[in-house]
Amino acid sequence: MNGIGGRLRSHFESYEDCHRTEGNRITHEVGIPLILISTLGLLARLRVPGVPLTVGMIVWFWAMLWACGFCFERGRFSWSHFALIAPYGLVTLGAYFGGAALPVSALWLLLAIGWALQLLGHAVFEKRSPAFFMHLKQLFVGPLWIFARIFRS
């Protein structure tokens, strides 16, 4: 992906290695947003005792801190990475609030459909295990990779 370098490029290349076929990429372009919206929506229902936060807010914030770390490479700020991470943060925040507004039954249905698409993509098109089987951080790389594919196209 043009303009992406350093650690972020390395994560994207590792992720792309498990997502080479167009069929698998398409199932992920639909499935990952469904999983993101439904997971954040379900976690929005879990309140943190004693503070006005939800587990969904904390997960979103932690994921954004992780993603913002890619804006700094070798002590230098990367505007090209920031130009990707900033809108990604807004879109995922929208996913949080969108998911929080949906009924729980709809969230569980979206979650099931999203994961079914993921598994279908790997079983039918890619014929190999999902990337997160090798490393759980790929669960956070996936949504950012999908966003970058759509945002940069």
Side-chain angles (χ1 to χ4, degrees), residues 79-149:
W79 284 105
S80 64
H81 290 178
F82 180 77
L84 175 67
I85 302 299
Y88 173 73
L90 294 175
V91 168
T92 55
L93 188 60
Y96 169 83
F97 286 112
L102 293 173
V104 171
S105 58
L107 294 171
W108 283 113
L109 179 62
L110 292 176
L111 186 65
I113 292 170
W115 278 112
L117 286 169
Q118 299 286 73
L119 297 175
L120 176 76
H122 281 281
V124 173
F125 300 109
E126 200 71 33
K127 300 194 182 346
R128 56 191 300 196
S129 298
F132 72 88
F133 281 7
M134 292 178 275
H135 201 294
L136 285 177
K137 73 179 170 201
Q138 296 293 5
L139 289 171
F140 292 97
V141 173
L144 186 54
W145 180 76
I146 290 294
F147 181 79
R149 281 179 49 83

Side-chain angles (χ1 to χ4, degrees), residues 65-83:
L65 281 178
W66 176 78
C68 285
F70 293 117
C71 293
F72 298 92
E73 290 284 338
R74 298 184 194 118
R76 297 175 64 198
F77 186 78
S78 170
W79 284 105
S80 64
H81 290 178
F82 180 77

Side-chain angles (χ1 to χ4, degrees), residues 31-93:
I32 285 177
L34 293 178
I35 293 168
L36 183 67
I37 291 166
S38 58
T39 300
L40 289 174
L42 290 167
L43 293 176
R45 305 304 200 277
L46 301 175
R47 299 244 170 242
V48 177
V51 291
L53 294 173
T54 69
V55 173
M57 288 176 189
I58 293 169
V59 168
W60 175 85
F61 184 74
W62 182 88
M64 286 312 305
L65 281 178
W66 176 78
C68 285
F70 293 117
C71 293
F72 298 92
E73 290 284 338
R74 298 184 194 118
R76 297 175 64 198
F77 186 78
S78 170
W79 284 105
S80 64
H81 290 178
F82 180 77
L84 175 67
I85 302 299
Y88 173 73
L90 294 175
V91 168
T92 55
L93 188 60

